[in-house]
Amino acid sequence: MLFQMGELFCGPGGLACGALHANVEGHPELRIEHAWANDYDEATCATYRHNICKDDESQSVYCGDVRKLDISRDNPLFSEHPFNAFSFGFPCNDFSTVGEQKGFDGTYGPLYTYGVKVLRIFQPAWFLAENVSGLSSANKGGALPKIMADLHDAGYNLFPHLYKFEEYGVPQARHRIIIVGIRKDFPYTFFPPVPTTPDIHDYRTSRQALEEPPIPADAANNELPRMSEVVVERLKYIKPGQNAFNAELPPHLQLHIKGARISQIYRRLDPDKPSYTVTGSGGGGTHIYHYSENRALTNRERARLQTFPDDFVFKGTKEKVRRQIGMAVPCEGARQIFEAILKTFAGIPYKHEHQCNIKFDNSTK
């Protein structure tokens, strides 16, 4: 059973990397391959092409604003790259709990509708949609029900779940809502895979991520960041797990930002815990800081926290690479979910949660 997967808002390829590495032991016929992808940023698309589809000789990656994409059967992107599976990590900027959380009133909030349009027109067998946990509270709690109603009306039974990726072997506290949809004419029920590291004592730590094994000397995207003298001096006073507001800093190194007590500002990793959430931003002390060295992490170290393999090469400037890594879905978490989808369609039992932790009644919608 082969699934060809199309993607909107593909990013650098976190979901695609997880999909391509999804493997059901003893069933080599169960696999997911790349069909086509779209993102608006050229550097991001270059990263995707290089790692997912061998520099895209078949022109299967469309770089451009989704609002200008011809989502129809007449578009060669779709007619020449047929697909029966679909994924989209629709932009989360307006749903994130960090910031104004404009929801549907923002620039990015309505973009999920383009994924719904793909589903309505092409009717793939299944889809996976991903967004931040803040989606559940956006628009006074109305965003998520509206999005799920639209996805259901497109012809799919929905299985939404809030995943805590640190419970799936990812060395990072990253919580994301993932909606798996199965076309209504298929008699399958999806169950979230059971966490592989459910005990807090089994979580993979930031130290393990960065040191086990050591990052190869020739690994790409591993250049040390430039650090100003004042930042280096400030970090000397910040202990692992602390930030600029709870560390004992001398007066000349303290931050005097009115109303700001954001815990990620100049926050060092705790080597004995998973990292805090890797983000796409990078200014004002939010680069993520090493637990023992007085510096921010390299992009390769950030990629390790997102479980990208060391041979996954990111394209673009250091700033663009940092953003790509922060916006991606952790490859390892994605892999486990895709494997559960494959097993669901093949009727292969697997360890799973008894039900999704986000309620949606497919029978009455």
Side-chain angles (χ1 to χ4, degrees), residues 118-138:
V118 169
L119 294 173
R120 287 188 180 278
I121 293 174
F122 295 97
Q123 291 285 291
W126 56 264
F127 74 82
L128 183 152
E130 178 266 349
N131 208 273
V132 293
S133 59
L135 178 62
S136 61
S137 59

Side-chain angles (χ1 to χ4, degrees), residues 38-268:
N38 159 251
D39 201 275
Y40 76 96
D41 180 71
E42 184 54 54
T44 301
C45 289
T47 296
Y48 190 100
R49 292 185 184 107
H50 180 82
N51 295 279
I52 303 302
C53 49
K54 307 301 180 186
D55 295 317
D56 192 32
E57 294 181 3
S58 65
Q59 300 297 306
S60 63
V61 179
Y62 169 77
C63 187
D65 191 329
V66 69
R67 290 167 291 193
K68 298 179 181 179
L69 176 63
D70 175 21
I71 301 177
S72 75
R73 294 185 180 276
D74 295 328
N75 187 338
L77 178 66
F78 307 116
S79 60
E80 296 175 9
H81 305 94
F83 64 105
N84 57 355
F86 177 55
S87 67
F88 62 118
F90 53 102
C92 63
N93 310 57
D94 291 326
F95 298 121
S96 176
T97 54
V98 178
E100 297 182 55
Q101 201 178 30
K102 296 179 180 179
F104 292 140
D105 297 324
T107 301
Y108 303 99
L111 294 183
Y112 82 92
T113 59
Y114 293 88
V116 174
K117 187 174 183 179
V118 169
L119 294 173
R120 287 188 180 278
I121 293 174
F122 295 97
Q123 291 285 291
W126 56 264
F127 74 82
L128 183 152
E130 178 266 349
N131 208 273
V132 293
S133 59
L135 178 62
S136 61
S137 59
N139 287 86
K140 299 180 179 180
L144 182 57
K146 167 61 175 170
I147 290 171
M148 290 199 294
D150 289 348
L151 293 169
H152 187 267
D153 289 346
Y156 292 83
N157 288 323
L158 306 182
F159 306 96
H161 193 72
L162 175 62
Y163 290 83
K164 297 181 178 181
F165 281 120
E166 63 269 32
E167 296 181 349
Y168 291 86
V170 175
Q172 177 191 170
R174 194 178 188 92
H175 301 169
R176 292 293 185 268
I177 291 174
I178 290 182
I179 304 169
V180 171
I182 297 178
R183 209 172 64 207
K184 291 178 182 178
D185 57 313
F186 286 104
Y188 305 126
T189 298
F190 176 82
F191 295 98
V194 69
T196 55
T197 52
D199 192 315
I200 189 173
H201 299 100
D202 295 329
Y203 288 172
R204 186 163 172 79
T205 68
S206 59
R207 188 202 302 275
Q208 289 174 315
L210 302 190
E211 298 183 14
E212 299 177 11
I215 294 175
D218 60 349
N221 311 115
N222 200 36
E223 302 85 359
L224 289 174
R226 296 178 180 178
M227 306 292 298
S228 69
E229 291 183 6
V230 68
V231 170
V232 172
E233 186 179 2
R234 180 178 292 120
L235 289 172
K236 292 178 181 178
Y237 291 90
I238 300 176
K239 298 176 182 178
Q242 290 185 335
N243 61 54
F245 298 109
N246 59 20
E248 295 183 5
L249 298 177
H252 70 286
L253 294 175
Q254 293 177 4
L255 298 180
H256 301 286
I257 305 173
K258 187 176 181 180
R261 288 294 184 272
I262 300 174
S263 62
Q264 270 76 331
I265 300 296
Y266 294 108
R267 182 178 176 184
R268 280 192 186 271

